[in-house]
């Protein structure tokens, strides 16, 4: 149970896009951005009450602005040319064109039904700016194929010209984890946590209906609803720095239950992250232990 005053948290959303090759879309933030500079993250950004009516729309809009991919419903008429879509992207990004106006003008229906909740993360109190980020997962029907019409979900992602994003790529979770371990890319604990979860559930290079159904099942269970509020912790015996997550034995969970990340940091960058989680994420509601502990205290 969160004890953080909601008004102190910046609401935001992030979209995890999985293609038919079991690759996920990552963007590298510009070194000039205020938050997560230079890091590889899932596309996303802050909720804008003037442009968004839900966090799901925030996730889709920000993904469109940052990568050029617009997640539309199969029922939506795909009549936009590649040129028109890119022009609209720049205008929406620079707030010269309202996102909802753009959608209505071209009769675009967003694929909101294809977004599934995939944990919510609250920035630790040690940070100067704190976010409450809802992650969503969604699946693309094509594997990096250019749509002849230049529209919607078949397009190859591109940067926004370096304003917020300096590179984009689809990469398999196991490859992303390996690149992080080698120091080739920089990940924060939430992105590492999600990529490691996907690495275990998407082992192959071709997505199967069974794998996607399993991820949807995970989303619809306790995992999808889980709000993770990392608690920094220092183990004086091992000299290990870690973040304790909901349900860990050191946060009121059952004895022996681990839900933590052991981290090594160099400045603001993480040089290593080791996720330790030894319970069934399909069955166990990790938030229950924290709620029980909070009640006792």
């Amino acid at each position: 149970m969160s004890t953080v005053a909601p008004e102190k948290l910046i609401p935001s959303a992030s979209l995890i896009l999985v293609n038919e090759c079991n690759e996920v879309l990552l963007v590298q933030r510009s070194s000039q951005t205020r938050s997560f500079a230079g890091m590889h993250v899932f596309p996303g950004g802050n909720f804008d009450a003037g442009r968004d009516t839900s966090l799901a729309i925030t996730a889709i809009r920000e993904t469109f602005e940052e990568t050029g991919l617009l997640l539309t419903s199969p029922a939506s008429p795909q009549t936009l040319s590649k040129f028109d879509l890119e022009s609209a992207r720049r205008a929406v990004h620079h707030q010269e064109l309202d996102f909802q106006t753009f959608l209505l003008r071209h009769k675009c229906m967003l694929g909101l039904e294809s977004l599934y909740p995939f944990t919510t993360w609250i920035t630790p109190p040690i940070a100067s700016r704190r976010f409450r980020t809802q992650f969503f997962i969604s699946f693309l029907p094509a594997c990096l194929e250019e749509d002849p019409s230049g529209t919607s979900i078949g397009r190859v992602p591109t940067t926004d010209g370096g304003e917020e994003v300096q590179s984009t790529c689809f990469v398999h979770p196991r490859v992303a984890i390996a690149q992080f371990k080698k120091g080739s890319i920089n990940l924060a604990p939430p992105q590492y946590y999600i990529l490691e979860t996907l690495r275990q559930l998407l082992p192959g290079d071709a997505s199967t209906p069974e794998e996607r159904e399993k991820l949807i099942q995970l989303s619809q269970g306790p995992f999808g609803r889980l709000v993770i509020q990392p608690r920094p912790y220092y183990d004086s015996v091992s000299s290990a720095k870690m973040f304790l997550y909901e349900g860990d034995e050191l946060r009121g969970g059952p004895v022996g239950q681990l839900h933590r990340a052991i981290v090594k940091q160099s400045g603001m960058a993480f040089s290593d992250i080791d996720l330790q989680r030894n319970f069934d994420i399909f069955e166990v509601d990790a938030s229950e232990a924290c709620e029980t502990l909070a009640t006792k205290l």
Side-chain angles (χ1 to χ4, degrees):
M1 181 179 296
S2 173
T3 58
V4 180
E7 63 272 11
K8 295 182 180 180
L9 300 174
I10 302 171
S12 62
S14 191
L15 186 55
I16 307 155
L17 287 176
V18 183
N19 67 18
E20 282 191 347
C21 300
N22 279 342
E23 298 169 324
V24 295
L25 178 60
L26 290 181
V27 301
Q28 183 180 15
R29 302 281 290 171
S30 167
S31 58
Q32 305 303 315
T33 54
R34 187 176 179 184
S35 301
F36 308 104
M39 286 189 168
H40 281 75
V41 299
F42 306 109
N46 297 342
F47 173 79
D48 186 335
R51 297 194 287 171
D52 308 325
T53 56
S54 70
L55 286 172
I57 291 179
T58 300
I60 292 176
R61 175 182 57 76
E62 287 284 347
T63 299
F64 178 49
E65 293 179 10
E66 293 179 356
T67 72
L69 299 184
L70 180 61
L71 197 64
T72 56
S73 167
S76 181
Q78 299 184 353
T79 57
L80 280 175
S81 68
K82 182 177 179 180
F83 174 82
D84 288 341
L85 192 65
E86 188 61 29
S87 297
R89 171 195 179 185
R90 289 195 300 270
V92 170
H93 196 4
H94 296 149
Q95 299 191 37
E96 298 166 351
L97 173 63
D98 178 71
F99 187 52
Q100 297 296 334
T101 300
F102 156 67
L103 296 174
L104 289 171
R105 182 179 299 168
H106 296 282
K107 300 179 180 179
C108 288
M109 299 169 57
L110 296 181
L112 297 174
E113 72 286 347
S114 68
L115 269 63
Y116 301 94
F118 213 69
T119 68
T120 298
W121 288 70
I122 294 178
T123 312
I126 55 176
S128 57
R129 296 181 75 218
R130 302 184 64 203
F131 301 87
R132 182 186 177 96
T133 304
Q134 171 69 66
F135 287 87
F136 296 95
I137 192 167
S138 189
F139 307 99
L140 299 182
C143 182
L144 287 181
E145 293 179 358
E146 184 73 20
D147 190 315
S149 65
T151 61
S152 193
I153 49 184
R155 298 187 58 218
V156 175
T158 58
T159 72
D160 61 355
E163 295 181 40
E164 295 184 45
V165 172
Q166 62 187 52
S167 69
T168 66
C169 65
F170 274 104
V171 59
H172 196 283
R174 70 167 180 275
V175 175
I177 294 292
Q179 290 177 340
F180 169 74
K181 294 292 186 180
K182 291 192 300 183
S184 301
I185 66 174
N186 191 12
L187 298 172
Q191 285 72 29
Y192 184 94
Y193 184 101
I194 291 172
L195 284 167
E196 176 60 20
T197 300
L198 293 175
R199 183 192 68 80
Q200 298 173 22
L201 296 174
L202 300 175
D205 294 327
S207 178
T208 66
E210 292 77 15
E211 287 175 337
R212 294 190 174 202
E213 185 57 39
K214 197 167 186 178
L215 286 174
I216 293 173
Q217 177 188 347
L218 182 62
S219 164
Q220 294 172 340
F223 183 87
R225 301 187 299 270
L226 181 61
V227 178
I228 299 179
Q229 187 173 325
R231 180 180 298 175
Y233 181 81
Y234 176 74
D235 185 353
S236 58
V237 177
S238 64
S239 299
K241 295 180 180 179
M242 62 184 75
F243 289 109
L244 301 178
Y245 301 141
E246 280 64 16
D248 188 274
E249 64 175 353
L250 295 180
R251 289 189 60 177
V255 175
Q257 180 166 288
L258 302 181
H259 195 201
R260 62 183 67 171
I262 300 176
V263 302
K264 293 180 181 179
Q265 266 184 282
S266 177
M268 295 300 294
F270 291 87
S271 57
D272 192 27
I273 302 173
D274 177 23
L275 175 62
Q276 297 185 355
R277 184 181 59 198
N278 62 356
F279 57 89
D280 187 346
I281 57 176
F282 286 88
E283 299 294 337
V284 175
D285 187 349
S287 64
E288 289 182 350
C290 283
E291 290 173 359
T292 302
L293 179 62
T295 302
K296 291 180 179 179
L297 294 176

